[in-house]
Amino acid sequence: MAEPAKEIVVDPGLDETIKKLTPKKIEDTINKVLTKGAAARLKVYMQTCVHCGLCSEACHFYLSHDKDPRFSPVGKVKQTLWEIVKRKGRVDGEFIKNCSRIAHTECNVCRRCSMYCPFGIDMAYLLLLVRRICALLGVVPQYLQDTVNSHAVTMNQMWVKQDEWIDTLQWQEEDAQDEVKNARIPLDKEGAEIMYSVIGPEPKFLAQLLGNISIIMTVAGMDWTMPSFDGWDNSNMPMYSGDFETMARVERKHFEAAFKLKVKKIVMGECGHAFRGAVYDGPKWLAWKEPPVPLIHAVQFYYELIRDGKIKIARKFEQPVTIQEPCNIIRGRGLGDMLRYIMRATCEDFRDVSPRYEHNYCCCAGGGVINCGPPWKKNRVEGNRVKAEQLKATGAEVVITPCHNCHSGIEDIVNYYKLGMHVKFFSEILVDVMEIPEELKV
Ligand code: SF4
Ligand code: SF4
């Protein structure tokens, strides 16, 4: 198997864990996944792929590495899963380590490539299968595994304790009251119309986003609540590490919170992967046909608030802006028009990107790649030179993106390629430009 294209990255999650593997454990684990976890779908994909390489041009890693075939989707699968199948699981620890590197850090499971394959082969699925094997063998980048451990123990991604969670909400409620009279973050309100849920990093690093939603909900006159108990975090890193048992526990807990509060629907904050977990991967693993409680993403929620006149725009944001479209809500759910509706309603000078909608490039942070942490940061930003070029071509000064992974990934690209842009969430723009009714002015 080929070595990484650039420098070797030291990561105990890969380097140390493979020391505990035995040939028997590797072979048994692989064969269990291949026969019980994959079966027909894997067979169909393997027998259908003609190795034409048409999927290559779809991948930002391939394009950003000057079309190095090792970074093409088919190249990544060829170096990992196809070799594993060919050797019937008789591979060594070093091979598994390279599989984990490729599947966890050189693919965002963004599914752009499956749109470019004439047969629609889902290469992201195949690389997730590689992650599954690595996770069952315990070979996962250390930072990513830490978030999975946190999910397993605390039911949130960031080791946030319940009293910290409640304190943060109360602190943000007070801050929101400085902006809007009677702003609240109602906790555990049974029978409310909406349960609002967020990802773990919000109370940990971006608490002002909780204050923003309090302002938006108050101005829009919404009947809403947030749980004070486990289930408030809608993020799901085990979905990306390959620990699907923990993924299912996390998704179940999120919906149980909604059941307990007897709400009519869930509105999720600005995050793409959390939406994927709640709408697709989680329910599928739990054998649910649909999410058991109606659930919408913040983009749809903001779109409906503006469309229905529940929030009015007082003055538009003036700086030139562009967008980063999160794969999981645009390619995955088709919210591209709603997103542009909000952009045009709130911003004076919106400069669209090319390619766009479902053809847009991934941020290169999603799919758990940014959660692999600082050791892999250089790998990640160098893997998305095309995104930097795409954003630069718009001439915008601000990038708006309704996703935490996109937000952090684009910030890194902006700094690394010196794009001189700022990155914002929609809620930051909304609280800036919306009309505050007279009776709510402080
Ligand atoms: S990063 Fe996206 S385009 Fe590239 S191989 Fe993975 S799923 Fe395909
Ligand atoms: S996945 Fe599709 S596009 Fe890519 S090499 Fe195989 S057949 Fe060709």
Side-chain angles (χ1 to χ4, degrees):
M1 180 183 286
E3 278 302 313
K6 302 275 167 74
E7 61 220 57
I8 306 284
V9 174
V10 175
D11 185 330
L14 273 53
D15 306 331
E16 299 304 317
T17 49
I18 59 165
K19 292 177 185 164
K20 295 181 198 143
L21 298 179
T22 62
K24 182 166 171 14
K25 186 172 179 191
I26 295 175
E27 193 179 335
D28 288 353
T29 305
I30 288 175
N31 286 319
K32 191 173 140 203
V33 172
L34 296 186
T35 53
K36 297 211 169 87
R41 194 173 176 191
L42 170 64
K43 214 175 206 172
V44 168
Y45 285 162
M46 289 198 59
Q47 289 174 357
T48 308
C49 179
V50 290
H51 301 214
C52 64
L54 285 174
C55 51
S56 304
E57 297 282 337
C59 185
H60 48 281
F61 273 104
Y62 172 80
L63 297 173
S64 302
H65 284 104
D66 301 324
K67 305 195 176 183
D68 182 337
R70 285 177 295 180
F71 291 94
S72 70
V74 65
K76 286 180 260 201
V77 173
K78 213 166 168 191
Q79 293 170 81
T80 55
L81 196 58
W82 279 331
E83 205 57 32
I84 286 174
V85 173
K86 204 164 83 189
R87 296 199 219 165
K88 295 190 170 53
R90 284 182 217 108
V91 295
D92 60 17
E94 207 54 45
F95 184 92
I96 294 295
K97 174 178 150 179
N98 278 324
C99 283
S100 182
R101 170 179 59 79
I102 292 171
H104 282 112
T105 76
E106 293 173 7
C107 172
N108 300 94
V109 292
C110 74
R111 296 196 170 125
R112 189 171 192 259
C113 49
S114 62
M115 291 197 319
Y116 290 74
C117 169
F119 307 108
I121 294 174
D122 187 352
M123 299 305 247
Y125 163 75
L126 297 177
L127 286 156
L128 275 172
L129 208 55
V130 178
R131 292 189 188 187
R132 173 71 171 156
I133 291 169
C134 294
L136 289 174
L137 289 169
V139 185
V140 174
Q142 190 180 39
Y143 278 82
L144 178 60
Q145 186 59 47
D146 182 67
T147 62
V148 175
N149 295 347
S150 175
H151 274 299
V153 175
T154 67
M155 284 290 130
N156 71 73
Q157 190 195 135
M158 291 273 141
W159 301 100
V160 178
K161 291 188 289 179
Q162 193 190 17
D163 58 340
E164 290 170 340
W165 166 239
I166 295 170
D167 277 358
T168 307
L169 293 176
Q170 287 176 343
W171 157 45
Q172 282 307 310
E173 182 182 80
E174 281 168 25
D175 275 13
Q177 285 165 0
D178 290 342
E179 308 296 323
V180 168
K181 217 182 269 176
N182 303 329
R184 294 285 327 275
I185 299 183
L187 292 183
D188 303 340
K189 184 182 171 196
E190 260 193 37
E193 186 79 21
I194 293 168
M195 178 181 104
Y196 185 72
S197 61
V198 296
I199 73 166
E202 288 205 14
K204 201 80 179 178
F205 308 120
L206 290 156
Q208 75 277 11
L209 298 180
L210 294 160
N212 288 352
I213 199 66
S214 171
I215 294 171
I216 292 168
M217 292 286 195
T218 305
V219 169
M222 292 289 112
D223 175 20
W224 70 300
T225 188
M226 294 187 83
S228 68
F229 46 85
D230 289 351
W232 59 263
D233 182 356
N234 57 30
S235 70
N236 202 325
M237 281 307 129
M239 171 175 73
Y240 285 146
S241 75
D243 179 351
F244 300 149
E245 289 76 11
T246 305
M247 169 187 78
R249 280 181 61 215
V250 170
E251 290 307 332
R252 188 188 289 277
K253 190 55 101 181
H254 181 224
F255 286 112
E256 277 174 359
F259 285 137
K260 200 164 164 184
L261 292 173
K262 302 185 179 71
V263 295
K264 299 206 175 52
K265 69 176 171 193
I266 299 172
V267 174
M268 305 182 78
E270 297 183 52
C271 187
H273 98 272
F275 189 71
R276 176 179 180 155
V279 174
Y280 311 115
D281 296 35
K284 198 173 68 192
W285 189 258
L286 286 156
W288 297 339
K289 199 171 156 207
E290 302 278 349
V293 177
L295 175 146
I296 61 170
H297 187 269
V299 162
Q300 184 174 344
F301 183 59
Y302 297 153
Y303 160 78
E304 288 172 2
L305 291 183
I306 298 172
R307 180 199 63 188
D308 300 344
K310 292 203 166 113
I311 52 178
K312 297 189 174 62
I313 306 305
R315 52 163 195 94
K316 289 191 179 183
F317 188 76
E318 282 173 8
Q319 271 181 289
V321 297
T322 190
I323 38 169
Q324 160 56 22
E325 297 180 87
C327 301
N328 289 319
I329 64 161
I330 305 299
R331 189 155 37 254
R333 192 64 167 194
L335 300 187
D337 283 329
M338 289 186 192
L339 185 146
R340 283 171 177 78
Y341 179 95
I342 307 170
M343 291 296 281
R344 294 197 176 97
T346 57
C347 299
E348 201 69 66
D349 184 2
F350 165 45
R351 305 187 180 181
D352 213 337
V353 281
S354 172
R356 59 194 193 134
Y357 289 92
E358 68 272 21
H359 294 282
N360 207 336
Y361 299 120
C362 175
C363 64
C364 201
V369 175
I370 197 166
N371 301 76
C372 295
W376 301 97
K377 182 175 170 182
K378 193 157 181 275
N379 169 80
R380 174 166 55 78
V381 291
E382 288 181 350
N384 214 359
R385 196 183 66 212
V386 286
K387 175 59 70 182
E389 288 163 0
Q390 182 202 36
L391 293 176
K392 193 174 178 186
T394 64
E397 292 168 11
V398 174
V399 188
I400 299 175
T401 183
C403 172
H404 280 271
N405 284 336
C406 291
H407 194 277
S408 306
I410 298 299
E411 266 181 349
D412 287 340
I413 287 167
V414 163
N415 293 334
Y416 188 79
Y417 294 99
K418 302 191 176 14
L419 300 183
M421 297 168 145
H422 295 289
V423 190
K424 285 184 182 286
F425 289 100
F426 268 129
S427 75
E428 294 175 280
I429 299 287
L430 279 175
V431 295
D432 201 22
V433 303
M434 72 186 184
E435 193 179 293
I436 308 291
E438 265 324 301
E439 65 277 15
L440 293 179
K441 281 189 178 151
V442 178

